[in-house]
């Protein structure tokens, strides 16, 4: 939602060319708040405000707009005039932003960059989406292991202006290979021993990520070790970048959104909901709806096979919704628990036997609870107490089947290299519906004939 609180004042200051007021607006608030209050301005008006801030502040404020809005602003001005602002942003943000604008515009902006900056952007843009390389930044503190503490502090002072963070300082050899990590506090503490080298105070067991690691694995590693940043190395263990906590928070949001979409049987969106066309939304929903439709058709086909039996025992029809919904709900619960455990690293495919035993036990316990409730209902609708046993017996079997299917299918998907979240709740429910119908009517025929 657009915050219109300062829009009248901003437009009045622009109309009156109030340079002092616009400069104060840009500097008085946190850049995120400044960007929020500018959301309602046109790209031309927004630039009219930003022109009253220095280049670094312009880049910082611009980075807090969403990428679609940033792209609009870049394309509203000549590339050579916006390139200096984009150049102040971190390399990973530059890659994301330039990926949103027209290819020709991106090339023209890149042409205005220095050779080193252009090389960084091109290198980062070559990494596959969803990998550590795609979300890292190259702006990190890199120090030689041969430096003394005092020399390291001076070097850090020289580098600080161009760094995204100085939480951790990475120690490398002459070939750029990662050898260790020190904190700024470690260096300051070592100043009392001026001849001590970084190689003597650094931590050599460095938790790191590979450029090709999946971003979910990086997220899990940073969470496990409570890291504010993690170094990224290539196949030769050369330091090529870092991933900071703000980058990984974006991954958390992105992965959570993807899992939410897939849990509802919708293909994840590349754009926001409101910016995704109706045709694209229909396609992303329609693919899974078609799969679920086939599953529903198979359930209908299964019912058709027992049509004559249902005509002979019509009261069985009453309990069909109860049976299939109970089985589907139990399967959904198991699938959700297992998918979450896999995503959080609390379980793996190797634990399949333990998971199956646990789900079998839970299925039996939950099935007996549902069976006791089902028996009470069946006594009111079935012709005899004996025939009423069909419902509780079926509920025990269906709940057990639901828990086993719901827990094993995500593990199977994980085993073959697919996202377990693809095993969405509607898909699990549709599959268990089919099994539920067959189990229910087979049990009924077994007990009543």
């Amino acid at each position: 939602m657009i915050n219109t609180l300062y829009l009248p004042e901003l437009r009045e200051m622009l109309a009156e060319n109030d340079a002092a007021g616009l400069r104060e607006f840009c500097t008085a608030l946190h850049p995120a708040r400044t960007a929020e209050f500018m959301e309602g301005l046109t790209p031309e008006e927004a630039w009219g405000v930003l022109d009253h801030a220095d280049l670094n502040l312009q880049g910082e404020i611009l980075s807090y707009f969403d990428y679609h809005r940033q792209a609009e602003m870049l394309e509203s001005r000549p590339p050579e005039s916006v390139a200096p602002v984009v150049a102040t942003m971190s390399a990973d943000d530059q890659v994301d932003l330039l990926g949103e604008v027209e290819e020709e515009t991106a090339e023209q902006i890149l042409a205005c960059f220095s050779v080193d900056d252009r090389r960084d952007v091109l290198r980062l843009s070559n990494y596959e989406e969803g990998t550590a390389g795609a979300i890292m930044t190259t702006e990190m503190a890199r120090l030689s292991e041969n430096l003394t503490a005092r020399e390291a502090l001076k070097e850090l002072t020289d580098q600080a202006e161009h760094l995204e963070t100085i939480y951790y300082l990475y120690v490398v050899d002459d070939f750029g290979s990662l050898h260790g990590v020190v904190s700024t506090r470690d260096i300051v503490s070592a100043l009392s021993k001026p001849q001590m080298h970084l190689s003597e105070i650094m931590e050599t067991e460095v938790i790191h990520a590979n450029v090709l690691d999946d971003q979910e694995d990086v997220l899990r590693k940073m969470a496990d070790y409570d890291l504010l940043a993690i170094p990224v190395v290539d196949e030769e263990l050369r330091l090529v970048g870092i991933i900071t906590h703000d980058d990984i928070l974006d991954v958390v949001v992105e992965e959570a959104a993807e899992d939410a979409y897939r849990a509802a049987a919708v293909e994840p969106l590349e754009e926001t909901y409101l910016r995704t066309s109706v045709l694209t939304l229909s396609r992303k929903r329609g693919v899974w709806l078609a799969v679920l439709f086939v599953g529903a058709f198979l359930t209908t086909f299964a019912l058709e096979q027992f049509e004559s039996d249902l005509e002979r025992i019509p009261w069985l029809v009453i309990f069909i919704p109860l049976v299939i919904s109970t089985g589907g709900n139990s399967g959904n619960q198991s699938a959700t628990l297992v998918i979450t455990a896999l995503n959080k690293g609390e379980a793996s495919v190797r634990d399949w036997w333990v998971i199956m035993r646990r789900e079998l036990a839970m299925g039996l316990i939950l099935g007996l609870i549902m069976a006791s409730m089902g028996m009470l209902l069946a006594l009111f609708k079935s012709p005899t107490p004996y025939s009423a046993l069909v419902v509780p017996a079926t509920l025990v079997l269906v709940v057990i089947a639901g828990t086993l299917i719901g827990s094993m299918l995500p593990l199977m998907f994980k085993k073959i290299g697919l996202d377990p979240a693809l095993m969405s709740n509607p898909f699990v429910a549709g599959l268990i519906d089919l099994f539920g119908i067959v189990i229910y009517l087979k049990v009924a025929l077994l007990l009543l004939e």
Side-chain angles (χ1 to χ4, degrees), residues 334-391:
S334 295
T336 300
L337 287 170
V338 171
I339 290 171
T340 302
L342 290 173
N343 287 340
K344 294 174 67 177
E346 298 171 349
S348 69
V349 177
R350 293 192 301 272
D351 301 315
W352 71 272
W353 176 241
V354 176
I355 293 172
M356 187 170 73
R357 283 186 298 161
R358 290 170 60 86
E359 290 298 322
L360 182 61
M362 284 187 283
L364 182 59
I365 294 170
L366 296 172
L368 290 172
I369 295 172
M370 296 298 103
S372 63
M373 298 169 64
M375 185 64 183
L376 295 176
L377 295 173
L379 287 173
F380 288 102
K381 296 295 182 180
S382 61
T384 65
Y386 175 75
S387 61
L389 290 174
V390 172
V391 175

Side-chain angles (χ1 to χ4, degrees), residues 421-433:
L422 287 170
M423 190 49 56
S424 62
N425 288 341
F427 187 87
V428 171
L431 192 58
I432 296 172
D433 286 352

